[in-house]
Amino acid sequence: MEDRQEYERRKKAIFDQMSARGQQRILKTGYENWDPFQEPKDPREQIRSATAVQAGMILAEFFQSQGQEKRLRSHHKELMDLCRGLLRQDPRAMAVKAFCCWFERTPWKKD
């Protein structure tokens, strides 16, 4: 019981030290669900995930199909992020895909 009270006291102290904007973000998702003491995510997990490996394979195939187009390879990180987003059905990536498909069908496209 004492541990839980200490946890709540420390949690409230952290919350009170946050900016108003940070507090609003926490309140929007739910203060009771917020854990300020959780371990941060390991960025290496994002690199080694099954989605990242699959995206890497898709990107390698894309680069191979484009030949020696150096311009495309200079955007590897952006293309990798987009590919991972598409594989995860991320709303932002899906919006970019929808826009690109729409753009291909418009008179704005220059061939």
Side-chain angles (χ1 to χ4, degrees):
M1 182 86 168
E2 185 68 34
D3 289 339
R4 186 67 186 169
Q5 288 176 342
E6 178 65 16
Y7 173 86
E8 289 300 329
R9 186 188 67 72
R10 291 175 55 212
K11 181 177 177 178
K12 182 168 178 3
I14 291 170
F15 182 79
D16 291 342
Q17 294 293 318
M18 295 174 78
S19 68
R21 183 177 180 195
Q23 289 177 347
Q24 287 300 317
R25 183 178 51 84
I26 298 301
L27 292 174
K28 187 184 287 186
T29 59
Y31 179 84
E32 62 281 349
N33 299 325
W34 175 57
D35 181 9
F37 307 110
Q38 70 186 19
E39 292 292 319
K41 293 180 181 173
D42 185 356
R44 293 172 294 183
E45 287 178 16
Q46 196 173 32
I47 296 169
R48 296 184 197 137
S49 72
T51 303
V53 171
Q54 186 178 10
M57 291 170 44
I58 292 169
L59 218 48
E61 188 175 324
F62 171 72
F63 287 144
Q64 186 177 11
S65 74
Q66 300 301 308
Q68 296 299 317
E69 186 68 53
K70 299 236 189 268
R71 179 178 54 94
L72 294 173
R73 291 182 186 271
S74 68
H75 297 289
H76 177 81
K77 182 188 179 319
E78 292 85 357
L79 290 171
M80 183 69 158
D81 291 344
L82 177 61
C83 189
R84 281 196 334 249
L86 290 170
L87 290 170
R88 290 190 320 253
Q89 300 277 316
D90 178 66
R92 184 172 179 217
M94 300 309 285
V96 170
K97 176 186 170 194
F99 175 80
C100 291
C101 290
W102 171 83
F103 188 78
E104 282 292 314
R105 298 185 307 266
T106 68
W108 295 101
K109 181 180 176 254
K110 305 228 191 283
D111 288 322

